[in-house]
Amino acid sequence: MALWSGRFTEGADAFTQQFGASLPVDEKLYAQDVAGSVAHGQMLAAQGIISVEDAAAITEGLAAIKADIESGAVAFDVQQSEDIHMAIESELTARIGDAGARLHTGRSRNDQVVTDTRLYAKERVGDLMAANLALREALVEAAEKHFDVILPGYTHLQHAQPVLLPHHVLAYAWMLARDFERLAAARKAADASPLGAAALAGTTYPLDRFATTAALGFAHPIPNSLDAVSDRDFLLDLIYACSVSCLHLSRLCEELILWSTSEFGFITLADSYATGSSIMPQKKNPDFAELIRGKSGRVVGDLMALMMTLKSLPLAYNKDLQEDKEGAMDAADTLEDCYRCAAGMVATMTVHPEAMMAQAQKGYLAATDVADYLAKKGMPFRRAHEVVGHLVLLCDQRGCDLEDLTLEDFKAESDLFEADIAGCLNLEAIVAARTTYGGTAPDAVRVQLEEVKQGLAADRARL
Ligand code: ARG
């Protein structure tokens, strides 16, 4: 019989019992449920609502149940218990009798479940922040290892201007640093205690909500009991943070996939981050990068699902809210695995600098610098742009590169050109000239690398 069966005359139907149960999802919250119940029981005794002996029996009984769950000595069944809260409380009462039956005094599953979920969210976000740092470290190592490598920078996936490989790699480190901030914000959003809100309106018992808040390590109690039991914004924040980070990983992985094609040949993924084909013996597929790219869709789906669940939901607790946990857990688990996989992939890939350099030599990557050369000699930039456009056309017609043109060819378009134009055509010089803060010159990238490393150290201290 369910713990709430007093006003019912018929037993539960096996199908609806299973349909309504959340145990398969929320059994992951067993440790948080035990922690919440211990804090509640101790506070009840401190307030003189139950005896100190009963509170001690509750604390001991819960510790034993927790150990038994972890060793596998006790397992729960949806036909017996709808959720982890009922399962643990029934087990406790079966073991210690009346003391166990007193635990739920002044408490509802409505405040209980969201207390557990907030504790879980705080912990999981902490894990994600650590995994985020590990990936950023792998990116920094790759940036340092391949510091001098030049590749084409792209816009519209067409060759644009040459950039340093560390500059390109660090762009992802910055995205991930912002993701860390979003995760930290989600952890802060979860850091408030609903316990003591009871079903929706507070309770007639003299509960000390500040005591349970402190015992559970929350920053403060939630000031409105209706809001306490019905707010799931912290989960939206968590899944949103996961979604944005998954989108960033999908962009990184898309590039790794592209770069490992025969057409690019910029990198080779390690064997452990690739798979073969069951029919084509020659194949080496970037499955894991593709999987990370694909999983981003699932996580964004988790965000949409919870947003829709919350839409138009009246106050206070509604059973719809039971749908909150599965997607949030999935988003966190998925992102954690994706971080780990991406870090391994980046750390073990082989970079081919000559292939990157060879591509950087194609597509008139010096064109902007040649236009800047004229503009710096007084020609309005728009006119300089047109002059260089003509030179590019000339190269196109001759099937050559800007470097292959003679000084006479240049002079035919503008007599501002002198022999020193050669200095604008060299890739290293083009890169080295972009010295603006955040630019791709080695000195600027060195400054950036230092900032990324300082950010990493500061974020590590926030774990
Ligand atoms: N299993 C429920 C959930 O996850 C616990 C709260 C149930 N409360 C209720 N009044 N039915 O949301």
Side-chain angles (χ1 to χ4, degrees):
M1 274 307 218
L3 294 175
W4 39 252
S5 63
R7 60 100 65 226
F8 287 75
T9 52
E10 284 178 33
D13 168 79
F15 168 69
T16 56
Q17 171 68 22
Q18 178 252 313
F19 181 69
S22 54
L23 185 65
V25 172
D26 60 32
E27 61 189 353
K28 279 192 191 162
L29 301 179
Y30 76 90
Q32 289 78 9
D33 198 68
V34 164
S37 289
V38 167
H40 183 68
Q42 293 293 330
M43 179 276 296
L44 289 177
Q47 296 298 103
I49 302 165
I50 65 171
S51 69
V52 170
E53 293 71 34
D54 280 352
I58 287 170
T59 300
E60 254 174 64
L62 287 170
I65 291 171
K66 185 173 175 226
D68 287 349
I69 293 173
E70 282 163 359
S71 73
V74 67
F76 303 121
D77 168 15
V78 285
Q79 288 305 327
Q80 306 303 319
S81 305
E82 173 184 332
D83 55 31
I84 191 66
H85 326 293
M86 300 284 217
I88 291 177
E89 194 189 324
S90 304
E91 181 68 22
L92 181 68
T93 305
R95 292 187 185 193
I96 66 170
D98 278 357
R102 290 198 175 97
L103 169 63
H104 212 51
T105 310
R107 187 177 69 166
S108 158
R109 269 184 305 149
N110 299 349
D111 58 342
Q112 184 178 2
V113 66
V114 70
T115 301
D116 297 0
T117 308
R118 281 173 175 274
L119 288 172
Y120 180 85
K122 278 176 65 179
E123 188 181 319
R124 290 298 285 141
V125 174
D127 300 338
L128 292 174
M129 288 160 87
N132 170 291
L133 288 180
L135 174 55
R136 280 157 67 191
E137 267 154 22
L139 291 168
V140 164
E141 269 171 40
E144 285 178 325
K145 189 165 157 202
H146 308 291
F147 192 85
D148 299 320
V149 177
I150 292 176
L151 77 161
Y154 297 82
T155 64
H156 311 272
L157 212 51
Q158 307 285 322
H159 290 194
Q161 292 173 357
V163 293
L164 276 189
L165 181 58
H167 192 201
H168 194 109
V169 168
L170 290 178
Y172 286 101
W174 288 110
M175 292 182 217
L176 285 153
R178 294 195 295 276
D179 295 340
F180 188 94
E181 289 304 324
R182 271 180 278 273
L183 288 168
R187 187 168 69 173
K188 186 160 185 275
D191 195 14
S193 176
L195 197 58
L200 73 164
T203 168
T204 56
Y205 296 96
L207 301 189
D208 184 350
R209 290 193 60 203
F210 291 87
T212 48
T213 294
L216 292 171
F218 283 116
H220 60 88
I222 296 173
N224 181 312
S225 63
L226 295 164
D227 189 36
V229 291
S230 51
D231 170 27
R232 297 294 185 276
D233 295 356
F234 67 99
L235 291 180
L236 289 181
D237 292 345
L238 165 58
I239 311 175
Y240 174 68
C242 292
S243 295
V244 178
S245 206
C246 277
L247 293 185
H248 291 151
L249 295 185
S250 78
R251 298 179 72 172
L252 170 66
C253 286
E254 168 68 9
E255 296 212 295
L256 296 179
I257 292 163
L258 217 50
W259 287 6
S260 61
T261 57
S262 314
E263 285 75 7
F264 275 79
F266 285 4
I267 57 164
T268 303
L269 293 175
D271 282 1
S272 47
Y273 288 93
T275 59
S277 155
S278 55
I279 178 167
M280 296 169 282
Q282 84 285 11
K283 293 278 279 177
K284 184 174 175 187
N285 295 325
D287 274 34
F288 300 102
E290 294 167 56
L291 208 47
I292 293 174
R293 188 178 60 181
K295 280 177 188 290
S296 60
R298 249 220 352 252
V299 174
V300 174
D302 290 331
L303 177 62
M304 293 306 123
L306 184 57
M307 282 190 151
M308 288 304 104
T309 296
L310 296 177
K311 180 184 173 296
S312 313
L313 208 61
L315 292 174
Y317 180 85
N318 297 274
K319 182 81 165 179
D320 313 43
L321 291 173
Q322 181 167 286
E323 288 293 307
D324 65 349
K325 287 172 282 297
E326 198 169 354
M329 289 173 171
D330 176 63
D333 294 350
T334 303
L335 179 60
E336 191 176 36
D337 288 350
C338 289
Y339 275 155
R340 181 173 169 186
C341 189
M345 201 151 36
V346 168
T348 57
M349 69 185 182
T350 306
V351 169
H352 303 299
E354 41 337 303
M356 293 186 176
M357 192 63 172
Q359 283 304 325
Q361 243 117 25
K362 296 183 198 159
Y364 317 115
L365 270 68
T368 312
D369 292 63
V370 177
D372 286 344
Y373 172 93
L374 293 175
K376 282 172 190 166
K377 290 196 168 192
M379 186 183 285
F381 182 77
R382 278 288 154 238
R383 203 154 322 134
H385 185 287
E386 194 175 351
V387 166
V388 181
H390 289 154
L391 289 168
V392 167
L393 191 62
L394 182 67
C395 290
D396 250 354
Q397 285 159 352
R398 289 194 193 164
C400 70
D401 211 337
L402 286 167
E403 274 175 309
D404 304 319
L405 298 179
T406 63
L407 185 55
E408 284 62 46
D409 294 328
F410 279 102
K411 278 196 172 295
E413 286 297 334
S414 165
D415 51 17
L416 289 176
F417 283 120
E418 301 295 344
D420 63 346
I421 185 59
C424 288
L425 302 176
N426 166 287
L427 287 177
E428 279 85 5
I430 295 171
V431 167
R434 284 168 167 68
T435 52
T436 31
Y437 176 74
T440 206
D443 283 347
V445 174
R446 244 173 244 118
V447 168
Q448 185 191 159
L449 183 59
E450 226 17 74
E451 285 189 38
V452 167
K453 285 168 133 184
Q454 279 167 13
L456 262 174
D459 285 347
R460 183 156 291 290
R462 289 159 72 189
L463 280 189

